[in-house]
Amino acid sequence: MVQTFTEEHIIGEIVTEFPKAGDLFKSYRIDFCCGGNRPLLEAIEERNLSKDEILSKLNTLYDEMKALNETGIDWKAASYSELIDHIINKHHRYLNEELPQLSPYVTKVLRVHGAQHPHLVRVHSLFSQLRTELEQHTIKEETDSFPLILQFEKDPSEENHDLVKKHVSELEDDHDGAGAIIKEIREITNDFQPPLGACGTYRLVYQRLEALEADLFQHIHLENNILFPRAAAGN
């Protein structure tokens, strides 16, 4: 089998070329969004994983999807407006709907089970922090940063480019903060595994937190590894 991807490939670039790789990396807890700007080997060694196993599965999956012509949308070739529309309509919409819906369940689980499971106090606190940060972040993107990027696409002046780079740096810092929060939630929930005998609401909260993490990873990947580098480079 020809190795399309090697251990020297940058993680974010792998997922950019082959979006389905994100599912594989997620299963091994390899960060491809906030931590995507580093060689795959570095993440493999950090998590004490098998390099041969990861590369074999990655390249086999790529070959299978390529044979089915399902390697994914090439967002590198999309215009700024196409990529931004996708981020808003898919990922921002998901957050706008999911965060307020999930919030009362997180609170309910804390009220009912917090005395027996003290870690739920921290889960509640982290989720509340994450919700606030993401809501403010998406508003900033939609009202300020994204329009600025689209304006730069029409008028690639030096002044607009400097403004874009400033916004990109701030947004990437926001992403680092959100990524750190969801990682801590995963750690203290034992990889979103509810305790034995957990009620339906308890299990629901963990399932939806894991789904939130998955969507957030894809969301941040599209921005950190595709949209922002292109905008900052003026391409």
Side-chain angles (χ1 to χ4, degrees):
M1 178 182 67
V2 176
Q3 278 206 340
T4 303
F5 303 109
T6 71
E7 67 270 23
E8 300 302 324
H9 276 83
I10 302 300
I11 299 169
E13 293 176 358
I14 294 173
V15 180
T16 297
E17 182 174 345
F18 180 38
K20 192 69 176 176
D23 295 336
L24 177 65
F25 290 156
K26 183 176 179 294
S27 70
Y28 284 98
R29 295 183 62 185
I30 293 175
D31 182 1
F32 60 87
C33 53
C34 298
N37 191 28
R38 58 177 179 163
L40 177 58
L41 180 61
E42 188 175 317
I44 290 173
E45 292 179 339
E46 181 181 275
R47 298 200 53 76
N48 294 315
L49 301 170
S50 167
K51 180 184 72 172
D52 292 340
E53 177 182 327
I54 299 294
L55 290 174
S56 176
K57 288 188 176 182
L58 174 61
N59 284 290
T60 297
L61 182 62
Y62 178 79
D63 289 342
E64 290 173 351
M65 294 297 100
K66 187 176 181 181
L68 295 173
N69 195 27
E70 295 180 0
T71 51
I73 298 173
D74 183 7
W75 288 114
K76 292 185 297 183
S79 66
Y80 284 146
S81 58
E82 289 172 329
L83 186 49
I84 286 172
D85 284 347
H86 173 75
I87 290 169
I88 291 174
N89 293 328
K90 178 175 175 60
H91 299 293
H92 285 198
R93 180 179 179 180
Y94 170 81
L95 292 174
N96 291 337
E97 294 176 354
E98 179 64 7
L99 292 173
Q101 290 177 1
L102 180 54
S103 185
Y105 291 111
V106 176
T107 300
K108 180 180 179 180
V109 168
L110 171 61
R111 290 186 185 277
V112 175
H113 301 285
Q116 293 76 33
H117 302 138
H119 74 281
L120 292 173
V121 175
R122 184 60 177 160
V123 171
H124 182 272
S125 175
L126 288 168
F127 175 78
S128 299
Q129 181 184 351
L130 182 65
R131 177 183 175 181
T132 299
E133 290 189 10
L134 288 175
E135 287 176 342
Q136 293 176 350
H137 178 79
T138 55
I139 290 171
K140 179 181 179 181
E141 286 187 333
E142 292 183 23
T143 60
D144 294 327
S145 303
F146 286 171
L148 181 61
I149 291 173
L150 293 174
Q151 177 60 32
F152 174 61
E153 185 176 33
K154 296 178 182 177
D155 177 17
S157 66
E158 184 176 348
E159 180 182 1
N160 283 340
H161 190 204
D162 289 341
L163 287 172
V164 165
K165 288 190 291 185
K166 178 177 181 295
H167 275 250
V168 163
S169 178
E170 293 173 356
L171 295 175
E172 287 178 338
D173 288 342
D174 290 348
H175 288 167
D176 288 342
I181 293 172
I182 199 67
K183 285 178 183 177
E184 185 174 350
I185 292 176
R186 173 176 276 279
E187 288 174 1
I188 62 179
T189 58
N190 190 29
D191 292 335
F192 304 110
Q193 294 298 317
L196 290 175
C199 69
T201 303
Y202 205 138
R203 295 195 304 272
L204 175 70
V205 165
Y206 275 33
Q207 289 169 357
R208 289 173 71 162
L209 284 172
E210 187 169 22
L212 174 62
E213 180 200 57
D215 185 84
L216 194 60
F217 274 19
Q218 290 293 338
H219 179 178
I220 295 176
H221 161 68
L222 288 174
E223 295 184 356
N224 273 20
N225 298 325
I226 303 177
L227 178 62
F228 293 167
R230 281 178 55 190
N235 296 330

